[in-house]
Amino acid sequence: MGNRKSFLLYANSSHQFERLCNKSLWPLTICSCNYIVDIPSKVPTSYSLIATGIPAQWDLTDFELDVKKQYPSIVKVERMLVRGGTPIAKVRIDFSSNEDVQKILKHKRLLLDDENTSFPVQQYYPPFKILRCYNCQQYNDHVAANCPRKDTPICFRCGQNHPYNPNCSNKICCANCKEEHLAGNPSCRVKIAERNKGKSNLITSNGYKSYPTKAAFTAWTTTTNLMFTSDCQPSTTAMAPTSLENSNSSSSIEISKKLDLILNKIDYLTGEHDNLKTNFINVNQQLRSCQETINLLKIFLSEQICPLIVEVGEGIM
């Protein structure tokens, strides 16, 4: 790396990675030479998981101290954020031991120090990045340097065939979905479909498939013939479970996002309620203080000022 005296080491297993990161296992010298070991600042994604149901208003410093009592291999606890930097009820937890991560995922719960409070957990997946060719605007196929259509570029602004021009004055039109936005816009339905497809493939590749379930036959089922036909007779058409799996996975992801937004909104409203309650208490205390001041002023007027006025009046008379 840069010179002959530096080496970048790769681990081919979690056990090997953990041993390489343990400085106490390294020898004092290598070939009678001193050396320095730089440990990676980030852990692999397989050493991370997501804990859900952690209220957004909680102090993660205290939470990290408590959870480390149960899991000393925790390296870092970080709050998850949605677009705009708004915190949600999820935290990412990084470990130095992959074995601890697998145990927690197996039990599906993260325990706190009292062993009575626990939180659901799920596997952490890094944000899925969509690749877009800046020459033809196609998603997840190639980069501009390898674009097979280098001679026929497509404008990112108007979607027409002409060379790159940042000052293009044509009507804005997406090259992929033909709607009125620039290519690569987050709201592009083609981009959203590619993102959902990538997430579904990522989940499937890690062994988390979601299969469509078949409705059980009951006395109220009105599609008896269809059900027996699909179960008992051979089918002449090829099944395509992949599209159904991707659809179900996409639906689950969308539902999860909506639930996160709902939880975030609830946390926000709870915080606003607490703020209003605090403000109400402060206003009430101020009103009481004003009332006490008014009462003292009345006493002063009746006991001091009024008798003085009477005496002055009698003296004048």
Side-chain angles (χ1 to χ4, degrees):
M1 293 182 60
N3 57 67
R4 297 179 180 179
K5 295 183 179 180
S6 299
F7 298 92
L8 180 62
L9 304 181
Y10 293 90
N12 57 12
S13 67
S14 59
H15 176 70
Q16 190 178 81
F17 175 79
E18 292 170 16
R19 287 184 61 85
L20 289 174
C21 290
N22 189 349
K23 291 186 177 182
S24 63
L25 299 179
W26 285 78
L28 296 177
T29 60
I30 297 179
C31 296
S32 301
C33 297
N34 296 325
Y35 63 93
I36 299 175
V37 177
D38 291 331
I39 304 299
S41 58
K42 295 182 179 180
V43 299
T45 56
S46 59
Y47 283 73
S48 303
L49 54 78
I50 299 296
T52 62
I54 313 296
Q57 62 269 23
W58 275 20
D59 184 2
L60 284 190
T61 303
D62 296 336
F63 175 79
E64 182 175 354
L65 293 175
D66 290 339
V67 78
K68 273 187 175 180
K69 296 176 182 178
Q70 283 290 328
Y71 310 100
S73 63
I74 289 178
V75 177
K76 183 181 179 182
V77 177
E78 184 178 4
R79 174 72 65 180
M80 303 293 289
L81 306 174
V82 294
R83 185 177 300 173
T86 305
I88 59 176
K90 289 184 177 182
V91 297
R92 172 184 171 179
I93 305 178
D94 298 338
F95 292 77
S96 61
S97 170
N98 183 260
E99 183 179 357
D100 287 350
V101 175
Q102 298 306 319
K103 286 181 179 179
I104 296 173
L105 291 175
K106 182 179 180 180
H107 292 91
K108 300 180 180 180
R109 307 294 294 183
L110 181 78
L111 297 177
L112 286 181
D113 56 346
D114 57 6
E115 298 189 9
N116 293 322
T117 305
S118 62
F119 299 94
V121 296
Q122 55 188 229
Q123 180 70 52
Y124 171 75
Y125 298 103
F128 182 76
K129 296 182 179 180
I130 297 179
L131 185 69
R132 178 169 66 91
C133 174
Y134 293 105
N135 185 67
C136 69
Q137 313 306 326
Q138 186 174 349
Y139 289 116
N140 289 337
D141 186 70
H142 57 267
V143 294
N146 302 323
C147 182
R149 295 180 288 275
K150 289 184 178 180
D151 297 333
T152 56
I154 297 178
C155 179
F156 75 100
R157 181 179 176 87
C158 66
Q160 299 180 18
N161 292 95
H162 67 75
Y164 171 76
N165 180 12
N167 300 319
C168 175
S169 59
N170 296 333
K171 182 180 179 181
I172 294 178
C173 179
C174 176
N176 293 292
C177 68
K178 307 305 179 184
E179 296 182 2
E180 295 183 359
H181 58 251
L182 303 180
N185 191 290
S187 62
C188 176
R189 51 187 172 85
V190 177
K191 185 174 183 178
I192 293 174
E194 286 292 332
R195 185 182 299 278
N196 292 336
K197 179 181 177 182
K199 288 181 178 179
S200 300
N201 292 338
L202 180 63
I203 294 174
T204 303
S205 64
N206 284 274
Y208 293 91
K209 291 186 178 181
S210 57
Y211 296 95
T213 56
K214 185 182 295 182
F217 173 73
T218 65
W220 295 273
T221 304
T222 58
T223 58
T224 308
N225 293 334
L226 292 177
M227 188 190 71
F228 278 103
T229 300
S230 61
D231 286 345
C232 302
Q233 294 184 2
S235 175
T236 58
T237 59
M239 298 296 291
T242 303
S243 60
L244 292 176
E245 292 170 11
N246 292 341
S247 176
N248 289 343
S249 299
S250 301
S251 300
S252 299
I253 293 172
E254 292 299 323
I255 292 173
S256 178
K257 289 181 179 179
K258 291 180 180 179
L259 289 176
D260 289 340
L261 291 176
I262 292 173
L263 289 174
N264 181 48
K265 192 66 175 180
I266 291 174
D267 292 337
Y268 173 77
L269 292 176
T270 302
E272 290 296 315
H273 175 266
D274 294 339
N275 292 335
L276 289 174
K277 185 177 180 181
T278 302
N279 293 336
F280 178 78
I281 293 174
N282 293 334
V283 171
N284 191 28
Q285 291 177 349
Q286 292 177 1
L287 290 175
R288 289 182 178 179
S289 177
C290 291
Q291 185 64 40
E292 292 176 357
T293 303
I294 292 173
N295 292 335
L296 292 175
L297 183 60
K298 287 182 178 179
I299 294 173
F300 176 75
L301 290 173
S302 61
E303 295 182 356
Q304 302 292 332
I305 301 299
C306 290
L308 181 61
I309 293 175
V310 172
E311 291 179 3
V312 172
E314 291 177 351
I316 294 175
M317 295 299 293

